[in-house]
Amino acid sequence: MRKIRTRLAPSPTGLLHVGNARAGIFNFLFAKKNDGEFILRIEDTDIERSRKEYEENAKEALLWLGLNWDEFYRQSDRKEIYLRHIKRLLGNGSAYVSKEEKGSVIRLKNPGTIISFNDLIRGKIEVDTKDLGDFVIAKNEETPIYHLAAVIDDALMNITHVIRGEDHISNTPRQILIQQALRCPTPKYAHLPLILAHDRSKLSKREGGEALSDYKKMGYPPEAVFNFLALLGWHPAPEQSSVRGRPLEREIFSKEELIEQFSLERVQKGGAIFDKGKLDWISKEYIKKLEEKDFLEKLTPFVPEEWGRENMAGAARLFKDRISKFSDFKREAKFIFELDDYDTGLLIWKNASMEDTKKHLEKVYELVSSGGDVMAYADEVGRGEVLWPLRVALSGLKNSPGPFEIMEVLEKKESLARIKKAIALISWVG
Ligand code: GLU
C-alpha cells in the first residue's frame, strides 16, 4: 500500500490564518493516524504578494502549535522543475502561449470534459468544465500560477490526500484537468467545511478571524488551541459511557488521542462555528491541569516586569484555576501588585452603615495584626458586613477572589496596610 502523504500549502501573503491552521491539523492528524507523512509547502509563486516574513510567521506559528512537518518545500526553490513541465506541456500541444492585451500568458487546452471526483467528505462532485474555457496555467515559461505549481508538486511529492478548505472545491476541476494533461495521478480530495462566526456569517477579523500567531500572543496554551481547532468541523465517535442515558460529550483530547481517533468520515459537511467561548473553556481546562511550576514558567512572559517577583508565586497559585489564557493574568491579578483607587462607597455592604463598616474594618485590622479569628467575628456580626469591606479593602474591586485567599498572597504587612487605607478613606468621608 502507498504511504499516506498529506500537505499544508499556505501562501505567504499574510499572517497564517486560523483556518489554515485547522486545515494543517486535519492533514497532520490524518497522516499520523495512518502512519503517513505530513508536508509543509510554502506556495510563494505570487512574487508580488509573497513575503519572507509571512513564511517565517507560518513556520513559527505551526511549530508553536505542535504541527511538526516531516518535509519542507518552498515553491520558489523549484523553478526549474516547473519550467521543465511547462515546456513539456507546450511541446506536446497540451498548452499554448496566448498573446493577449495585457501581455502573453500560457493557457491549458481544455478538452471541456465532465470532471467527476469523489470527495471524501462531500461525496461525488461532478463539474462540466466546458465553461472554464482554456484557462491560464502560467504567466510565462518560468512562472506557473498556483494551479499548475500545486498540481506538479502534489504529484512529485507523492501527495495521496489533498485536505483543504471548501473554498477550494471550485479549483479542483481545473487541477484535475492539469493532472490529466501532465498524465499524473489524481490524489484523493477532502474539502473541509467553512469556519463560520457565531451568527453563521463569514469569519471576520474580530471573531476568530485572527492569525494563529495572535493566539500565541493572547496566551492560549498551544495544546488547547490544537484541541479546539481539531474539533472545528470534526468530532470523535461518541464514547460508550453516558450520563443519565446521554452520551458523554467529551471535549478535551490530547494530541495523541486526537491522532488515535481521527477519521475523515467524521468530518461534518456543514459550516463549523468558531466559538471563542468554547476555546476559552478548553483553554481554562488545560491551564488548570498544569503543574504549578510549569504554570509559573509559562505565565512569566505575560507578567509586566514592574510587578516584581515578590508575590508572584502566591498570585500565580491564586489565579491558576481562574484564567482562560495567560494574558488574563495581567488584568485579573493586577490588584495584587498595584492597588488602584476605588470608590469609598464600594466598601459598604448592601444597606450597612458607614459607621458600622468602619467599626468592622477597625476590628478586622486588630484581629489580623494579632492573629485573631476574623471568620469567627464575621460569623458573629454578619459575614457580608465584615467580609465584603475587607475584600474590597484588599482588592479595590467589585469582583475578586475571597479575602482570606488574597491575604494569604499579600501577607500580613501589605494586608494591614490596605485595611488601614480603607479605614482612612471611610473616616475621611464619614
Ligand atoms: N496556497 C493555497 C492556499 O493558501 C493552497 C490551497 C491548497 O491546499 O491546494 O490556499
Side-chain angles (χ1 to χ4, degrees), residues 7 9-11 20 41 43 146 150 162-164 168 175:
R7 86 305 194 270
S11 304
N20 263 310
R41 182 170 80 216
E43 301 206 319
Y146 154 67
V162 170
I163 304 169
R164 59 185 177 188
H168 285 289
Q175 293 175 8

